[in-house]
Amino acid sequence: MSRDNLAFVRSHMLPEAPPPVAETGAVKWLRENLFSSVGNTLLTLVSAYVVVRILFGVAPWFFNGIWDSPSLSACREMLDGRTGACFAVLTERWNQLLFGFKYPPDLYWRPTLAFVLLFVAAAPVLFMKYLPRQMLIFTGLYPFIAFWLIWGGSIMVPIFALLGVLLGAFVYWRTLTISAGVAVLAGIVAALVFWWASRLVTAPLGDVLALQPVVSRDLGGFMVNMLLGVVCVSLSLPFGIMLALGRQSRMPIIKWICVVFIEFIRGVPLITLLFVANVVLAYFLPPGTTFDLILRVIIMITMFSSAYIAEVIRGGLAALPRGQYEAADSLGLDYAQSMQLIILPQALKISIPGIVNVAVGLFKDTTLVSIISMFDIVGMIRGPILASTEWNGVYWELFGFACLLFFIVCYGISQYSQWLERELRTDHR
């Protein structure tokens, strides 16, 4: 046999070769996402052209911006005909945009501290798997601490408010064996009686660790939007769960009360409810009764968002197969146990995107309070700032700053919801 007919057998392995340039790194990403076909290539080129034109048009407005100027006229003189923003209004009025124009400047540290402590209080709830459960104690105390920091006054007021909540919870658990409805009613009555009686005790102790009091009408700026957003979202979630369960109840009275409430609230614009909170609600109170406007607004916004969250959660409950309810019955669980351990965890997991959508919309809708003369960040821009002779005519800079603040908060909520969905995923895809 000649040498030419012998097969070649390699005696050693070839060294690893790098992957093709088109199959790795940025080139692969561009090819798969932007230039995967003729149509995508054309769309990419057109989009790139539009983005470049926008950047070239907006860039001079940013880079030529003036950050130090006493007024709009002085800012225009500094620009001398060039295109540029007058960001000096932000450096001059940042405190009013964030805290309002009546909140004492030497007390800015109090709402700032309350804002920082909000993340500490929310962390064990949002990241329960990664933080010790003992931190939930601070989460329960935070609402009373934040109230004391923002509104001031004696520390005995939040302390007795906390004691009333604890007493109501204790009465609820002690009477739960009788009936769930009786337990809830007994807990509420016990807390209300304790709070009414505590007024006789807090008056003589009014100077105990007292901070300078600040009335609600002095709150303003983005602080009002954050306050309404955090409080109303926190309250509307449990109320929405109760409304969703009540609408599916087999007891006709409870079911129809929940149905009428949900359908009525969802059929009425939020701005109408805010006008009711501002004007009409006072006619139903006894003469001489003072009902804080912020509290009235919190009640109305919470009612509004609770109705929407109830429908979102009802959709999650309807998405569960009937076998889940039958499995709970086969384990011998009563209604409360089956809802707590089997049904609600799955329904809430399904409802996360809808709940987050309602929460984001609710936070943005807090700007509607400017219609009823509450000086949130939009009310501050449309009122005292634009009404001043120094800054009359500045629009893009102020509303752009407000958009940036709302975007940061809403984007953070959206990213957390996506992270939570990935954490709760059980299909391992």
Side-chain angles (χ1 to χ4, degrees):
M1 184 179 290
S2 64
R3 231 176 204 186
D4 296 335
N5 295 331
L6 291 176
F8 174 75
V9 179
R10 188 177 300 279
S11 59
H12 61 278
M13 294 293 294
L14 289 176
E16 291 185 2
V21 177
E23 296 298 328
T24 183
V27 176
K28 178 183 178 182
W29 185 90
L30 291 173
R31 183 175 60 83
E32 292 183 351
N33 295 277
L34 300 181
F35 303 99
S36 58
S37 64
V38 176
N40 286 347
T41 301
L42 292 176
L43 288 175
T44 299
L45 294 178
V46 172
S47 301
Y49 173 76
V50 173
V51 170
V52 170
R53 289 295 302 268
I54 292 175
L55 289 178
F56 274 96
V58 175
W61 188 76
F62 278 102
F63 291 112
N64 295 333
I66 304 298
W67 290 90
D68 187 11
S69 174
S71 64
L72 178 60
S73 58
C75 181
R76 289 173 175 170
E77 291 179 2
M78 295 179 185
L79 289 172
D80 194 20
R82 296 175 300 167
T83 300
C86 189
F87 293 121
V89 65
L90 303 180
T91 58
E92 287 285 327
R93 300 298 181 95
W94 66 268
N95 55 340
Q96 295 182 3
L97 291 171
L98 296 180
F99 303 102
F101 67 97
K102 289 186 177 181
Y103 204 89
D106 57 330
L107 302 182
Y108 285 164
W109 66 272
R110 284 165 40 180
T112 303
L113 179 59
F115 177 73
V116 173
L117 293 178
L118 172 64
F119 293 95
V120 181
V125 177
L126 302 179
F127 307 100
M128 190 173 295
K129 290 172 56 177
Y130 305 98
L131 295 174
R133 298 179 64 88
Q134 291 78 5
M135 291 184 64
L136 291 173
I137 298 175
F138 180 77
T139 303
L141 296 176
Y142 173 76
F144 308 96
I145 297 174
F147 174 85
W148 181 56
L149 288 174
I150 295 175
W151 277 273
S154 173
I155 197 175
M156 300 307 298
V157 175
I159 287 178
F160 277 96
L162 173 61
L163 292 176
V165 172
L166 295 177
L167 177 62
F170 175 77
V171 173
Y172 168 80
W173 288 111
R174 295 291 293 180
T175 57
L176 188 59
T177 55
I178 303 174
S179 170
V182 173
V184 171
L185 182 61
I188 294 175
V189 170
L192 293 176
V193 170
F194 179 84
W195 289 332
W196 178 82
S198 65
R199 298 172 58 185
L200 304 176
V201 181
T202 54
L205 302 175
D207 296 332
V208 178
L209 291 179
L211 296 176
Q212 179 180 336
V214 179
V215 295
S216 295
R217 64 175 177 270
D218 291 344
L219 304 183
F222 193 65
M223 174 175 58
V224 171
N225 299 108
M226 284 295 299
L227 175 66
L228 295 176
V230 172
V231 174
C232 294
V233 169
S234 302
L235 294 176
S236 60
L237 184 57
F239 283 120
I241 294 174
M242 289 189 291
L243 287 171
L245 296 178
R247 183 160 188 168
Q248 292 192 332
S249 175
R250 297 179 180 178
M251 292 183 283
I253 296 179
I254 294 179
K255 177 179 179 179
W256 285 108
I257 288 176
C258 294
V259 169
V260 170
F261 177 85
I262 292 173
E263 297 302 329
F264 174 77
I265 294 297
R266 292 175 68 226
V268 177
L270 177 58
I271 188 63
T272 305
L273 297 178
L274 294 178
F275 276 117
V276 170
N278 186 35
V279 180
V280 181
L281 195 61
Y283 291 105
F284 296 94
L285 300 175
T289 303
T290 58
F291 199 8
D292 195 277
L293 178 59
I294 286 187
L295 180 58
R296 284 180 275 166
V297 170
I298 288 175
I299 292 173
M300 289 300 176
I301 296 180
T302 301
M303 291 169 53
F304 183 81
S305 57
S306 297
Y308 282 87
I309 289 181
E311 288 299 282
V312 171
I313 295 175
R314 188 171 69 91
L317 292 171
L320 292 181
R322 185 63 190 171
Q324 297 296 319
Y325 295 87
E326 295 173 352
D329 294 336
S330 66
L331 293 174
L333 302 178
D334 58 18
Y335 178 81
Q337 292 172 333
S338 63
M339 285 296 167
Q340 178 183 355
L341 301 176
I342 296 180
I343 305 302
L344 277 181
Q346 299 181 72
L348 292 177
K349 174 186 170 183
I350 297 172
S351 306
I352 287 175
I355 293 174
V356 172
N357 186 46
V358 174
V360 170
L362 169 64
F363 181 69
K364 293 185 293 184
D365 285 343
T366 58
T367 56
L368 292 175
V369 299
S370 61
I371 304 296
I372 58 173
S373 301
M374 288 185 66
F375 290 101
D376 70 319
I377 187 169
V378 175
M380 288 301 306
I381 293 173
R382 296 173 56 193
I385 296 179
L386 289 180
S388 63
T389 56
E390 295 87 357
W391 303 110
N392 188 8
V394 178
Y395 295 98
W396 285 99
E397 295 85 346
L398 291 170
F399 286 106
F401 179 69
C403 291
L404 179 62
L405 292 179
F406 278 97
F407 172 77
I408 292 173
V409 176
C410 295
Y411 183 74
I413 296 173
S414 175
Q415 289 299 304
Y416 170 76
S417 70
Q418 296 179 29
W419 174 84
L420 185 60
E421 290 181 43
R422 292 192 296 268
E423 286 288 305
L424 297 178
R425 180 176 296 172
T426 56
D427 52 5
H428 303 291
R429 286 184 295 178

